[in-house]
Amino acid sequence: MTPPFPLIDGELWAGDCRVADLVTEFGSPLYVYDAGVIESAYRRFDDAFAGVDHLLAYSVKANSNMEILSRLRALGAGADIVSRGELHRCLRAGFPAKDLVFAGVGKTEEEMEEALEAGILAFNVESGEELEALGQVAKRIGTPAPVALRVNPDIVADTPHEYTRTGHGATKFGIPVDRVLELYRWAADQPMLEIRGIDVHIGSQILEPTPYQWALDRVLDLAATLHAEGIDLDFVDLGGGFGVGYEGEEAMSVEELAALVVPKVAETGLRLILEPGRFIVGEAGILVTEVLYVKRSGSKTFVITDSGMTELIRPSHYQGFHRIEPVSPREGAAHEVVDVVGPICETGDFLARDRMLQMPEQGDLLAVHTVGAYGFVMASNYNARTKPAEVVVDGADVTLARRRETLDDLLRGEALADGTIFS
Ligand SMILES: *Cc1c(COP(=O)(O)O)cnc(C)c1O
């Protein structure tokens, strides 16, 4: 398989389209997604787990563009949501509620009510207090709530940044292992709660299958204890976090992961739910940005682009690494170590620091790779900047999946002191 966004004849391509042509048509900065890459990642994941009854609940927070959601739905995906906004997006993108699981430590009663009324598959519950609140909402509207408890397995998985480690005891996520059983027993006595499964999510951008095996062993032990007490589950949800290759390393081997997980789950007769986000969309996106200026300042060279932390916050927020290359490399141009920075008024506004790059000239386009996940979804309007457009390429077909924001979009919903409302 050719890698995504290959350089062919000195030009960067997305599917059967020249990236430079896309910018001519849609402007810069521009998020470009390759639907073929998303589909391959989805199928690779799905095929790996073919040996057990499973649901791939795509983690919507990684990329919630409506076109991408609807394409994933067409491939058979369910979804993992964390807010009423994501519920709304999924329902409008055509996901049946029965394929949605709802995660998150801070669900509001309003969110619980909306998800219950929609008829989702399960709430992944993160505390005893939440479980109680959910029972009360269920009683009020007269619909029993399907639940799984999210276990904090107290496993420190090796992820690139502490903000993406969620499976150890000192994070806000999940219910401590030693409290889980008593909560299940309590829930089993509540007529408005229906126990459906058990859930764990250990972190993000994990490249090794082993921590999943540990987490699985913990939750299957708990499931066996519950079964012995007459509390039966339908599913085990192993969460997401499957890593991709940001610096040219291999993505998580989902085949190796499946070899560890499938036999154990198949033996229990439970359905397996997985919540991949980044693995499905991460490598399928680039951010194309134009070089505005090249500025030499003391010993440093800054390549100033029309994108920064407002378009892609991962470098400044998590020290995320993204490969950057010219869209149309210049033959024989010199390479230099530079900082690639944005126009935002913050020193933390950079896309790359101390990076060896072929020296671009004003007006050149750069491609920032592996931004399909946690890219556009974290874009902001800071500095009153308009969010970029998103296009989806499928072979030679191109669709504008989200138009560039306009200046009017920036004011919508605000009011002046005299009461004038911008619509
Ligand atoms: C963020 C998250 C995911 C997806 O993580 P990826 O690293 O994108 O696979 C899945 N499940 C839960 C509960 C999450 O919070």
Side-chain angles (χ1 to χ4, degrees):
M1 208 190 80
T2 47
F5 307 103
L7 268 177
I8 302 168
D9 299 332
E11 279 283 329
L12 198 72
W13 290 72
D16 300 325
C17 307
R18 274 195 191 81
V19 170
D21 292 345
L22 296 173
V23 174
T24 305
E25 185 169 356
F26 299 102
S28 170
L30 184 68
Y31 271 92
V32 180
Y33 307 113
D34 184 337
V37 177
I38 296 176
E39 181 169 342
S40 318
Y42 182 86
R43 290 200 193 283
R44 179 179 163 199
F45 210 113
D46 200 37
D47 290 347
F49 287 90
V52 66
D53 177 20
H54 68 275
L55 174 71
L56 297 191
Y58 166 68
S59 185
V60 173
K61 74 178 194 286
N63 186 325
S64 60
N65 179 279
M66 291 298 281
E67 172 162 357
I68 288 178
L69 289 182
S70 62
R71 283 175 176 269
L72 284 168
R73 176 58 209 163
L75 292 170
D80 159 44
I81 59 174
V82 294
S83 69
R84 61 192 290 257
E86 289 188 355
L87 173 65
H88 182 62
R89 283 183 172 273
C90 284
L91 295 175
R92 296 301 297 268
F95 287 80
K98 68 166 183 47
D99 288 341
L100 304 180
V101 290
F102 198 149
V105 293
K107 302 177 193 78
T108 64
E109 292 196 1
E110 183 183 38
E111 291 179 312
M112 291 173 178
E113 193 172 319
E114 287 172 9
L116 263 180
E117 274 171 352
I120 64 165
L121 176 62
F123 292 86
N124 287 336
V125 173
E126 305 222 14
S127 66
E129 292 77 3
E130 182 192 337
L131 196 57
E132 240 172 87
L134 184 57
Q136 272 156 18
V137 172
K139 191 168 163 198
R140 192 172 72 234
I141 66 170
T143 309
V147 297
L149 298 191
R150 174 167 170 184
V151 180
N152 184 322
D154 203 10
I155 287 169
V156 184
D158 184 25
T159 78
H161 195 276
E162 61 161 317
Y163 291 178
T164 50
R165 283 168 223 151
T166 62
H168 63 91
T171 71
K172 66 181 177 186
F173 298 103
I175 298 164
V177 174
D178 58 8
R179 282 217 58 210
V180 172
L181 288 172
E182 59 182 286
L183 278 181
Y184 270 109
R185 291 176 192 129
W186 181 82
D189 285 337
Q190 306 301 311
M192 295 314 281
L193 295 176
E194 285 178 357
I195 295 173
R196 288 288 162 76
I198 191 161
D199 169 52
V200 68
H201 171 73
I202 54 177
S204 199
Q205 183 54 17
I206 296 167
L207 291 167
E208 286 295 314
T210 332
Y212 288 96
Q213 189 182 8
W214 299 334
L216 180 65
D217 288 348
R218 288 232 169 141
V219 291
L220 289 184
D221 266 358
L222 291 165
T225 306
L226 292 169
H227 176 70
E229 296 182 17
I231 300 174
D232 280 311
L233 309 178
D234 302 334
F235 68 78
V236 53
D237 182 339
L238 252 192
F242 318 104
V244 300
Y246 283 99
E247 302 190 46
E249 70 275 42
E250 287 283 309
M252 156 79 74
S253 167
V254 285
E255 295 75 17
E256 272 176 45
L257 176 71
L260 295 175
V261 168
V262 167
K264 288 187 187 195
V265 177
E267 199 183 322
T268 64
L270 296 172
R271 184 185 197 200
L272 176 65
I273 297 180
L274 295 153
E275 302 172 350
R278 191 190 311 268
F279 187 91
I280 304 297
V281 291
E283 293 178 0
I286 56 172
L287 169 63
V288 190
T289 184
E290 184 180 326
V291 173
L292 300 176
Y293 304 102
V294 177
K295 174 170 170 175
R296 296 183 195 270
S297 176
S299 59
K300 293 212 72 131
T301 302
F302 296 98
V303 171
I304 301 169
T305 68
D306 64 1
S307 301
M309 62 194 290
T310 43
E311 286 67 34
L312 180 69
I313 203 174
R314 293 192 73 262
S316 56
H317 185 50
Y318 306 113
Q319 293 153 9
F321 178 98
H322 292 272
R323 214 156 48 75
I324 299 179
E325 69 179 340
V327 165
S328 313
R330 297 173 180 278
E331 233 169 284
H335 284 66
E336 243 181 79
V337 175
V338 302
D339 282 11
V340 182
V341 302
I344 319 300
C345 307
E346 298 267 347
T347 306
D349 176 38
F350 58 87
L351 297 175
R353 286 205 281 204
D354 298 322
R355 185 71 63 83
M356 181 67 86
L357 200 69
Q358 184 191 86
M359 274 315 285
E361 292 177 17
Q362 223 170 351
D364 282 2
L365 298 174
L366 299 177
V368 185
H369 283 271
T370 328
V371 300
Y374 308 106
F376 184 90
V377 281
M378 286 181 159
S380 78
N381 295 113
Y382 186 42
N383 281 205
R385 288 168 60 78
T386 50
K387 289 186 190 168
E390 296 175 284
V391 297
V392 175
V393 169
D394 187 353
D397 293 338
V398 183
T399 47
L400 179 59
R402 191 186 206 270
R403 67 160 171 76
R404 186 175 305 283
E405 282 186 347
T406 63
L407 294 175
D408 284 341
D409 289 335
L410 288 181
L411 306 188
R412 189 153 296 134
E414 291 188 47
L416 295 180
D418 69 3
T420 309
I421 294 176
F422 295 98
S423 55

